[in-house]
Amino acid sequence: MQYEFMNKQDNAAARRRRRMKRRINEGLAVLGIFILCILTVWLLFQIGTYVAEVRMGLM
């Protein structure tokens, strides 16, 4: 009986750990996508300014 109770506690703790891990992974994924979006926008802005400078130079 005592052993069964301990086992249930262990299972609950393991479930909690898995849930925490999943939440952390989801947070990292969201953060990664957010950073990728910022980098993409920054890169497009850089290319845009470069093209604008080149055009100014040619005209």
Side-chain angles (χ1 to χ4, degrees):
M1 199 67 183
Q2 182 70 30
Y3 174 72
E4 208 173 292
F5 176 70
M6 290 287 288
N7 200 12
K8 275 184 183 164
Q9 268 189 328
D10 286 350
N11 283 344
R15 256 201 308 280
R16 247 196 315 274
R17 275 196 298 273
R18 274 200 295 273
R19 208 175 298 137
M20 283 282 290
K21 237 183 222 174
R22 195 178 304 138
R23 195 170 295 149
I24 289 168
N25 283 347
E26 283 173 3
L28 284 176
V30 169
L31 196 67
I33 290 167
F34 182 65
I35 289 169
L36 265 177
C37 286
I38 288 175
L39 279 175
T40 306
V41 169
W42 178 80
L43 195 64
L44 285 172
F45 180 73
Q46 292 294 321
I47 291 168
T49 50
Y50 173 72
V51 169
E53 280 177 19
V54 168
R55 281 206 178 141
M56 288 291 191
L58 290 175
M59 283 178 183

